DNA sequence: CGCAGTCAAGGGAGC
DNA sequence: GCTCCCTTGACTGCG
């Protein structure tokens, strides 16, 4: 089992998400920013390896305006060596990475322009994984999208659009159950139509479900991942922040709830992304718990302190 | 220099 | 039809 956290490392003094305003776009600014982001990404990955965190979600803004028409700079070729080096490091250390395109990516939108821009964004993020030389176990996770008043039609439109995607995107795309609109059951319908794996979010499932027990839900989601093409089930883990609106992620890992959740795995291997506000701090506590339970690799001798 | 308003992009709930 | 929510950091202009 690999444990990870999304996008931002709060310990290091660098950011892999530096950007600039669209209005101030120019190629020189782009080159400087991408160079900075890739340098920082490498540092974050090294930190992660040293701390036993072998799963990481890379932020969407590594290449600012990566799918925007304003950006005509050939970053794919100009930065190929840097992407390749990062990919080599990921493979050498047997890490797993993913991207989570944000809420603007809506494949089932009624607006063809939004669909077009969404596909461009998926192509951009997928191409970074291609440039790193990573196989199709490195994923792009999105939600089904909008409801538009008719669940069946909305799901059908997602399926129709999925079938038009470039193969390079199709093999990496996974769909995540959300907390308000599309449940695990809805995602299973999409899976049955096109074979897309389901990224399971335990917290979203607690918010929106059809009474499937957690253990059964995990089993259903895991069954959508092809062992070699897709790898083991990726999941997002979080829990409710007490006293806040339903769906609000906890600020730091609730260890008792985490231990309780682990019992539902029932021997299932998963790679777990901790969607928790304090990032690597909680991820490190999760790794410590897993080591105590014999579910994660021990501290590497060379880097143990 | 510090701070508050703003930033490419969508959709839904509540009123 | 309008406001606020998600979710969050980082940029930028202004005082």
């Amino acid at each position: 089992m690999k444990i990870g956290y999304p996008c931002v490392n709060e310990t290091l003094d660098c950011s892999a998400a530096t950007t600039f305003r669209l209005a101030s776009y120019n190629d020189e600014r782009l080159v400087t920013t991408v160079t900075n982001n890739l340098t920082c990404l490498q540092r974050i990955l090294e930190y992660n390896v040293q701390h036993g965190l072998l799963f990481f979600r890379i932020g969407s803004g590594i290449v600012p305006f990566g799918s925007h028409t304003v950006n005509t700079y050939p970053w794919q070729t100009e930065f190929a060596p840097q992407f390749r080096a990062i990919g080599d490091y990921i493979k050498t250390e047997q890490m797993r990475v993913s991207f989570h395109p944000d809420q603007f990516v809506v494949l089932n939108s009624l607006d063809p322009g939004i669909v077009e821009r969404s596909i461009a964004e998926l192509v951009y993020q997928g191409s970074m994984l291609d440039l790193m030389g990573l196989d199709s176990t490195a994923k792009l996770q999105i939600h089904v999208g909008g409801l538009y008043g008719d669940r069946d039609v909305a799901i059908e439109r997602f399926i129709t659009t999925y079938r038009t995607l470039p193969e390079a995107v199709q093999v990496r795309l996974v769909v995540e159950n959300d907390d308000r609109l599309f449940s695990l059951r809805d995602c299973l319908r999409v899976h049955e139509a096109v074979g897309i794996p389901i990224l399971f979010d335990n917290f979203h499932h607690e918010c929106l479900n059809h009474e499937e027990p957690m253990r059964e839900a995990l089993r259903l989601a895991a069954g959508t991942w092809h062992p070699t093409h897709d790898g083991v089930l990726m999941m997002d883990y979080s829990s409710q922040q007490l006293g806040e609106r339903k769906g609000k992620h906890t600020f730091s890992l609730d260890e008792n709830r985490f231990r309780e959740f682990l019992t539902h795995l029932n021997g299932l291997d998963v790679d777990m992304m901790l969607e928790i506000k304090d990032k690597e701090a909680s991820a490190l506590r999760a790794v410590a718990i897993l080591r105590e339970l014999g579910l994660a690799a021990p501290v590497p001798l060379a880097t143990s302190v």
Side-chain angles (χ1 to χ4, degrees):
Chain A
M1 188 185 313
K2 293 172 181 169
I3 294 288
Y5 60 99
C7 307
V8 173
N9 180 295
E10 296 183 331
T11 306
L12 298 173
D13 59 357
C14 72
S15 166
T18 55
T19 184
F20 49 87
R21 295 289 194 255
L22 177 61
S24 51
Y25 181 91
N26 64 61
D27 285 352
E28 187 184 348
R29 190 90 190 258
L30 183 80
V31 169
T32 305
T33 305
V34 174
T35 302
N36 176 71
N37 287 344
L38 289 175
T39 301
C40 183
L41 175 59
Q42 175 66 30
R43 285 187 59 200
I44 293 173
L45 293 174
E46 288 170 5
Y47 171 97
N48 291 352
V49 168
Q50 288 160 12
H51 292 83
L53 299 167
L54 297 182
F55 189 21
F56 188 64
R57 180 186 301 162
I58 304 173
S60 301
I62 293 288
V63 180
F65 311 103
S67 68
H68 193 283
T69 52
V70 74
N71 184 348
T72 57
Y73 185 80
W75 56 268
Q76 295 92 336
T77 48
E78 294 299 316
F79 285 97
Q82 289 90 332
F83 277 108
R84 171 62 66 162
I86 288 171
D88 287 346
Y89 183 73
I90 289 167
K91 286 186 280 191
T92 299
E93 301 297 340
Q94 298 184 335
M95 304 181 79
R96 196 176 192 191
V97 296
S98 63
F99 282 97
H100 191 347
D102 60 28
Q103 75 261 37
F104 307 110
V105 170
V106 184
L107 287 185
N108 75 344
S109 173
L110 295 165
D111 179 342
I114 291 170
V115 175
E116 188 182 338
R117 289 189 291 276
S118 296
I119 294 172
E121 180 71 12
L122 293 175
V123 168
Y124 148 61
Q125 297 196 24
S127 68
M128 287 191 277
L129 295 171
D130 293 340
L131 288 168
M132 290 177 192
L134 301 176
D135 65 22
S136 58
T137 62
K139 296 299 190 184
L140 306 171
Q141 76 184 83
I142 62 170
H143 297 285
V144 176
L147 206 51
Y148 310 100
D150 189 324
R151 181 177 309 276
D152 292 343
V153 174
I155 288 174
E156 271 310 310
R157 213 164 37 246
F158 182 96
I159 290 167
T160 302
T161 303
Y162 178 88
R163 291 186 170 130
T164 72
L165 296 173
E167 192 188 348
V169 170
Q170 281 184 344
V171 298
R172 295 196 187 280
L173 199 65
V174 299
V175 68
E176 175 188 354
N177 61 303
D178 69 70
D179 59 344
R180 296 178 306 138
L181 306 177
F182 294 99
S183 64
L184 171 64
R185 190 166 80 186
D186 295 321
C187 292
L188 282 164
R189 286 178 54 193
V190 180
H191 165 75
E192 282 157 20
V194 295
I196 187 172
I198 298 172
L199 190 146
F200 182 69
D201 187 310
N202 77 301
F203 185 32
H204 292 167
H205 185 70
E206 287 172 16
C207 297
L208 179 69
N209 61 68
H210 306 280
E211 309 292 322
E212 308 94 334
M214 191 58 73
R215 181 176 296 207
E216 173 68 1
L218 282 160
R219 190 189 67 79
L220 289 168
T224 66
W225 291 68
H226 188 285
T228 52
H229 298 159
D230 300 317
V232 303
L233 173 68
M234 275 187 187
M235 65 165 291
D236 285 349
Y237 176 85
S238 189
S239 62
Q240 175 70 36
Q241 175 67 51
L242 295 176
E244 291 280 352
R245 167 192 61 79
K246 179 184 171 187
K248 184 80 173 178
H249 291 201
T250 182
F251 180 80
S252 78
L253 186 72
D254 180 330
E255 295 197 7
N256 289 332
R257 297 199 63 171
F258 182 65
R259 287 174 187 275
E260 198 255 334
F261 175 80
L262 292 176
T263 66
H264 298 306
L265 288 175
N266 198 28
L268 182 71
D269 190 19
V270 303
D271 288 337
M272 194 182 297
M273 184 67 62
L274 266 60
E275 289 200 317
I276 294 179
K277 294 272 185 291
D278 66 355
K279 305 291 178 182
E280 73 273 16
S282 282
L284 290 170
R285 288 164 58 207
V287 169
I289 290 169
L290 290 171
R291 282 178 172 153
E292 173 196 313
L293 298 172
L295 293 171
V299 181
L301 290 176
T303 56
S304 61
V305 180

